């Protein structure tokens, strides 16, 4: 059993609890060319240190890789420090370190009761298991420099695999990055694998299948007898078929997969399927002859790509074969079934027209496909579908740009343009439609449940997924240039800028976007947003091109335009109005519900009531509190912080080099932070609500200068010293 623990990633990365190193930091001198890195030792082992290096994060460092460790002030130099000199010594060889968690994550020894997981880093012994809940994410660091990122509902066991550093993937999905050492993989017997040095890949295991997508380097999968090579830009699935395993190449691969077995080499082209460990001469997908198995009623054939259709006399069809370039057509009430030598079948319903080619062309009617291992390709409105180990019926009306599909058996994947795929299982029924070339491809789920997932385009996969239920519809737009756009119900549009954005989208009961970091937001009807990623954090970009909100903390939001509704735990909300600014939504202090980050280091806390506003006018950023207090920040001003010191909403303003200010709630003060590093208290009664006061502050107005406060300021300013703590007094 796994005992769950919940942590936010921001808190995890900022806290290393349980260690008390004697120095604030150390300087590590590496043997490779004398390179130096500043950081801190978090834990020590007999042969290695676990450190946090500036700009590199947490990692293991072998003692043999260091020529010296210097104290922070360089006054002391350790060339061969005694184990335990910098941090508590742990007397076991770690298999991994759990360095960060978000949501529900559990740690325990396999087949034994789990112990409670403490604050990261948690050091794992060989054989210990890590599992994530439905809302859980975890990051593991391996001693050899590798890194594992666990998605929700994932379980791994860390430790040696085949005598090398590695892990066992029990279920779920893992993002793997290797360094200078390979990482061994234990998969369902008899499968095994290895990620070569410098590899970046995603691995998943579920329902009798193992899937791999490689972004950099190479991953090897297979058995003792056979080895599949999956390289940069390629994907593959190993699918269990009874007691055997088969290789299915991703249709989006940019080249063939290489399968080696019994000293033979075989290439599997994109979309191809082949038994693992069985290598024969030839090419998967080579042309075969179709023969008529059974027919009823009128059946006509056109030989070659030109000419007229001629009706086949009764009894003649079985004696002849049909090859690429031939076309078949059935009349009213008629049907025909074709069979290929590998057992694949095509059944034409009445008034159906089908052209046999490398890619089957269904012009009209109903076609039922029963595909075996070898892939069959069928053109659909969203692109060419690669069919394997599936039985499905396709219906197309003459000249229509839509196709209905129902899955009879197996698992079906249909392209929705170049950037997305529709996934349906047995019983699922949908309709796919494309209005024009390069236009949006829409899908309506008619029966059951389906998934729309992104796929790599030009090497970039935004990483989104949408769960569709009966009656739900969406469209995917993928222009040649520009981001992929999802057209969602209620005239909503969500674009994805770049790779690895990562989002799960729900359409009911409301459109809801859940990011990989735990942040989530809804969208008002008619809203168009772009979702990007900055340093692994989701960034919401508004249509005006200048307003952006980086989600540093996993809050729940409702996005309006230009307002953001921050939903509070326990009910209630705070409205944040953004206009023409790029801001960050950060965790608030003890008397705040959140904070807005501005420029590089500004931090402005938000109380749990009312509406706040952040906008830009000329060379000023203006922050309006919920009670109408205002803070104006001039371009070039030093970093400014506004934090609440008590539950009443007393705000403390601080800026390097300037005396701190404390303002009581409800007092209509306007404070200007100048580029000279001063706070100026302005007379609100002499200020209008338009642009004139801003022009006056900037020295560009033609009227009289804006007056400073002329009344006694002390009723509006607190006569207490500023708090020493950054979170309050």
């Amino acid at each position: 059993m796994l005992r769950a623990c919940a942590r936010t990633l921001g808190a995890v990365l900022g806290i290393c609890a349980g260690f008390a190193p004697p120095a604030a930091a150390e300087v590590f001198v590496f043997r490779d060319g004398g390179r130096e890195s500043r950081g801190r030792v978090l834990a020590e082992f007999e042969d290695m240190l676990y450190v946090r290096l500036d700009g590199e994060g947490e990692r293991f460092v072998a003692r043999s890789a260091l020529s010296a460790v210097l104290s922070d002030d360089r006054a002391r130099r350790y060339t061969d420090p005694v184990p335990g000199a910098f941090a508590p010594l742990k007397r076991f060889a770690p298999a991994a370190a759990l360095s960060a968690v978000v949501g529900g994550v559990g740690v325990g020894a396999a087949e034994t009761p789990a112990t409670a997981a403490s604050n990261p880093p948690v050091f794992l012994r060989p054989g210990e298991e890590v599992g994530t809940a439905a809302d859980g994410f975890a990051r593991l660091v391996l001693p050899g420099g590798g890194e594992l990122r666990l998605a929700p509902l994932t379980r791994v066991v860390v430790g040696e695999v085949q005598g090398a550093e590695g892990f066992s993937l029990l279920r779920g999905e893992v993002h793997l990055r290797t360094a200078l050492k390979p990482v061994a993989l234990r998969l369902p017997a008899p499968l095994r694998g290895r990620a070569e040095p410098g590899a970046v890949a995603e691995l998943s295991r579920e329902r009798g299948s193992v899937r791999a997508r490689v972004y950099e380097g190479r991953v090897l999968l297979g058995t003792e007898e056979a080895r599949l090579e999956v390289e940069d830009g390629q994907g593959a699935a190993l699918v269990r078929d009874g007691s055997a395993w088969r290789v299915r190449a991703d249709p989006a691969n940019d080249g063939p997969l290489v399968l080696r077995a019994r000293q033979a080499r075989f290439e599997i082209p994109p979309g191809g399927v082949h038994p693992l460990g069985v290598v024969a001469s030839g090419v998967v997908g080579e042309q075969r002859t179709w023969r008529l198995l059974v027919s009823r009623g009128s059946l006509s054939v056109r030989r070659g790509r030109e000419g007229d259709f001629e009706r086949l006399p009764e009894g003649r069809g079985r004696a002849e074969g049909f090859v690429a370039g031939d076309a078949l057509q059935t009349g009213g009430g008629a049907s025909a079934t074709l069979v290929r030598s590998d057992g694949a079948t095509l059944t034409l319903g009445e008034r159906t027209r089908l052209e046999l080619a490398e890619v089957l062309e269904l012009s009209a009617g109903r076609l039922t496909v029963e595909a075996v291992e070898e892939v069959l390709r069928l053109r659909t409105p969203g692109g060419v579908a690669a069919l394997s180990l599936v039985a499905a019926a396709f219906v197309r009306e003459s000249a229509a740009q839509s196709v209905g599909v129902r899955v009879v058996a197996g698992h079906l994947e249909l392209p929705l343009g170049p950037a997305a795929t529709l996934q349906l299982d047995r019983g699922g029924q949908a309709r796919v439609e494309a209005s024009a070339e390069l236009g949006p491809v829409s899908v309506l789920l008619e029966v059951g449940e389906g998934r729309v997932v992104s796929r790599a385009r030009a090497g970039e996969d935004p990483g989104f997924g949408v769960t569709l239920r009966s009656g739900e519809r969406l469209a995917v737009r993928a222009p040649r240039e520009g981001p992929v756009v999802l057209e969602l119900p209620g005239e909503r549009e969500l674009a994805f800028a770049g790779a690895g954005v990562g989002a799960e989208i729900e359409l009911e009961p409301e459109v809801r976007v859940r990011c990989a970091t735990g942040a989530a937001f809804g969208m008002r009807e008619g809203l168009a947003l772009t979702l990007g990623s900055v340093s692994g954090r989701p960034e919401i970009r508004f249509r005006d091109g200048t307003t952006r909100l980086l989600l540093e903390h996993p809050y729940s939001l409702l996005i309006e335009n230009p307002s953001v509704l921050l939903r509070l735990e326990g009910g209630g909300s705070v409205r944040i109005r953004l206009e023409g600014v790029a801001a960050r939504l950060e965790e608030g202090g003890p008397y705040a519900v959140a904070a807005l980050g501005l420029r590089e280091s500004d931090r402005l806390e938000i109380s749990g009531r009312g509406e706040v506003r952040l906008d830009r006018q000329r060379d000023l950023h203006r922050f309006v509190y919920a009670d109408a207090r205002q803070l104006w920040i001039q371009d070039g001003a030093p970093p400014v912080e506004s934090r609440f010191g008590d539950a009443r909403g007393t705000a403390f303003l601080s800026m390097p080099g300037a005396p701190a200010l404390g303002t009581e709630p409800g007092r209509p003060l306007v404070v200007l932070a100048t580029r000279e590093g001063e706070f100026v208290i302005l007379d609100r009664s002499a200020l209008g609500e338009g642009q004139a006061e801003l022009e006056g502050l900037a020295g560009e107005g033609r009227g009289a200068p804006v007056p400073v406060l002329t009344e006694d300021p002390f009723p509006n300013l607190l006569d207490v010293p500023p708090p020493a703590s950054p979170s309050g007094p």
Side-chain angles (χ1 to χ4, degrees), residues 24 65 89 98 201 229 256 280-282 306 311 353 397 405 437 459-460 483 511 530 593 648 650 655 698 710 723:
L89 178 65
L98 177 62
E229 300 175 359
S281 61
E306 298 180 358
R311 181 170 178 175
R353 180 170 175 173
E397 297 180 3
V405 58
E437 186 179 1
E460 291 191 350
V511 173
T530 297
V593 297
R648 295 175 54 246
T650 304
M655 179 171 56
T710 54

Side-chain angles (χ1 to χ4, degrees), residues 56-302:
E56 298 183 41
E58 297 178 8
R59 56 177 284 197
F60 288 96
V61 176
R63 294 182 185 273
S64 59
L66 299 173
S67 62
V69 180
L70 311 180
S71 61
D72 188 31
D73 57 4
R74 296 178 177 268
R76 303 179 65 183
R77 180 183 180 91
Y78 304 88
T79 55
D80 189 15
V82 177
F86 304 101
L89 178 65
K90 296 183 179 295
R91 299 187 180 276
F92 65 91
L98 177 62
S99 65
V101 298
V102 174
V105 177
V107 175
E111 301 180 356
T112 61
T115 56
S118 60
N119 291 336
V122 177
F123 299 102
L124 307 176
R125 299 173 184 267
E128 284 197 290
E129 179 179 323
V130 179
T132 55
D135 64 341
F137 297 84
R139 177 177 178 267
L140 297 176
V141 179
L142 303 179
E147 174 185 297
L148 308 180
R149 296 190 180 187
L150 278 59
L153 300 177
T154 297
R155 292 170 55 204
V156 301
V157 175
V158 296
E160 285 193 359
V161 177
Q162 303 155 17
E165 178 178 281
F167 68 97
S168 300
L169 178 58
L170 304 183
R171 75 173 186 193
E173 180 178 318
V174 171
H175 183 92
L176 168 65
R177 181 184 297 271
T178 63
L180 297 179
K181 292 185 178 181
V183 172
L185 315 172
R186 178 177 286 120
L187 302 168
L191 300 184
R192 61 178 62 181
R194 186 180 72 196
E196 301 281 66
V200 178
E202 287 180 357
L203 302 170
S204 64
R205 176 183 174 183
E206 61 180 2
R207 293 188 302 179
S209 69
V210 175
R211 298 176 183 272
R213 163 61 65 178
V214 179
Y215 299 101
E216 296 179 17
R218 185 171 70 162
V219 172
L220 307 178
L221 301 173
T223 64
E224 289 186 3
E225 295 80 18
R227 185 183 73 186
L228 179 68
E229 300 175 359
V230 189
E231 299 187 336
D232 184 3
Q234 294 183 325
L238 300 180
V239 181
R240 189 193 300 273
D241 183 11
S243 60
W245 289 84
R246 300 189 181 277
V247 179
R248 179 184 297 168
D250 193 319
N253 285 352
D254 54 9
L257 295 174
V258 174
L259 177 63
R260 301 181 187 273
R262 299 184 180 93
Q263 297 182 344
R265 182 182 186 275
F266 188 68
E267 293 188 353
I268 306 177
V273 177
H274 195 76
L276 179 64
V278 178
V279 176
S281 61
V283 178
V284 171
E286 66 185 2
Q287 177 176 312
R288 297 176 187 264
T289 300
W290 294 90
R291 296 194 178 275
L292 186 63
L293 180 64
V294 64
S295 67
R296 179 172 59 88
S298 171
L299 175 63
S300 300
V301 61
R302 187 200 69 203

Side-chain angles (χ1 to χ4, degrees), residues 587-610:
E587 187 176 14
Y591 301 108
V593 297
L596 286 174
L598 191 64
R599 301 188 301 170
E600 291 187 4
S601 304
D602 296 334
R603 187 174 183 277
L604 314 175
E605 288 193 339
I606 301 171
S607 65
R609 55 187 177 274

Side-chain angles (χ1 to χ4, degrees), residues 287-626:
Q287 177 176 312
R288 297 176 187 264
T289 300
W290 294 90
R291 296 194 178 275
L292 186 63
L293 180 64
V294 64
S295 67
R296 179 172 59 88
S298 171
L299 175 63
S300 300
V301 61
R302 187 200 69 203
R303 298 292 185 179
R305 302 187 183 278
E306 298 180 358
D308 299 326
F309 280 88
E310 296 181 358
R311 181 170 178 175
L312 287 176
E314 293 291 335
R316 178 182 169 189
R318 294 188 180 216
E320 298 187 12
F322 307 98
V323 297
D326 293 346
L328 297 171
Q329 182 172 283
T330 58
S335 65
T337 298
L338 306 179
V339 63
R340 200 170 61 176
S341 60
D342 64 346
T345 63
L346 304 174
T347 299
L348 287 68
E350 66 172 340
R351 295 186 175 86
T352 297
R353 180 170 175 173
L354 175 68
E355 182 173 329
L356 302 175
E358 184 178 349
V359 177
L360 300 175
E361 300 276 357
L362 177 63
S363 302
R366 179 186 182 91
L367 175 68
T368 301
V369 179
E370 294 184 41
V372 289
E373 298 92 340
E374 191 167 319
V375 70
L376 281 174
R377 292 180 175 83
L378 174 68
R379 193 175 307 281
T380 69
V384 176
L387 310 178
S388 176
L389 300 175
V390 67
F394 299 85
V395 179
R396 183 169 192 166
E397 297 180 3
S398 179
Q401 292 298 315
S402 66
V403 166
V405 58
R406 180 172 65 88
V407 181
V408 179
H411 174 79
L412 176 67
E413 296 190 358
L414 288 181
L416 301 178
T421 300
L422 170 65
Q423 299 177 340
L424 293 174
D425 288 319
R426 180 180 178 180
Q429 184 172 320
R431 178 164 293 277
V432 177
E433 181 176 1
S435 57
E437 186 179 1
L438 296 180
V441 180
S442 66
V443 55
L444 169 64
L445 193 75
E446 297 175 330
V447 177
E449 184 174 290
R451 290 267 298 165
V452 173
V453 297
S454 63
R455 61 177 180 172
R457 183 180 65 150
E460 291 191 350
D461 186 350
F464 62 76
V466 186
T467 298
L468 291 179
R469 296 175 177 84
S470 296
E472 295 181 346
R473 179 194 297 269
L474 65 77
V476 182
R477 193 168 70 242
R480 284 196 176 95
E481 296 182 1
V484 179
V485 180
L486 294 183
E487 298 180 359
L488 305 173
E491 298 184 348
R492 301 172 175 92
E493 290 189 0
L494 182 61
F496 292 86
V501 176
E504 281 292 325
I505 303 167
E506 301 172 357
L507 302 184
E508 293 293 342
E510 65 173 0
V511 173
R512 191 86 176 146
V513 182
R514 301 184 183 277
C515 303
T517 60
F521 61 89
M523 298 173 61
R524 289 289 194 198
E525 289 191 3
L527 189 62
L529 296 175
T530 297
L531 186 61
S533 178
V534 177
S535 299
R537 295 290 185 269
E539 183 181 61
I540 299 171
R541 304 169 186 175
F542 291 80
R543 178 173 280 179
D544 63 7
T546 58
T547 304
R548 300 186 174 200
L549 184 62
L550 183 65
L551 306 182
E552 291 277 8
H553 191 73
Y555 286 114
S556 177
L557 310 172
L558 176 62
I559 309 298
E560 299 173 341
N561 195 7
S563 298
V564 174
L565 208 61
L566 173 60
R567 292 167 168 167
L568 306 179
E569 294 184 4
S573 61
V574 175
R575 187 177 301 278
I576 305 171
R577 189 176 181 87
L578 303 171
E579 295 183 10
V581 295
R584 304 177 300 276
L585 189 60
E586 303 173 350
E587 187 176 14
Y591 301 108
V593 297
L596 286 174
L598 191 64
R599 301 188 301 170
E600 291 187 4
S601 304
D602 296 334
R603 187 174 183 277
L604 314 175
E605 288 193 339
I606 301 171
S607 65
R609 55 187 177 274
E611 174 181 315
V612 299
R613 185 172 63 188
L614 182 62
D615 58 26
R616 181 168 178 81
Q617 301 285 347
R618 291 181 179 263
D619 68 341
L620 294 170
H621 283 92
R622 180 173 61 175
F623 180 61
V624 182
Y625 297 76

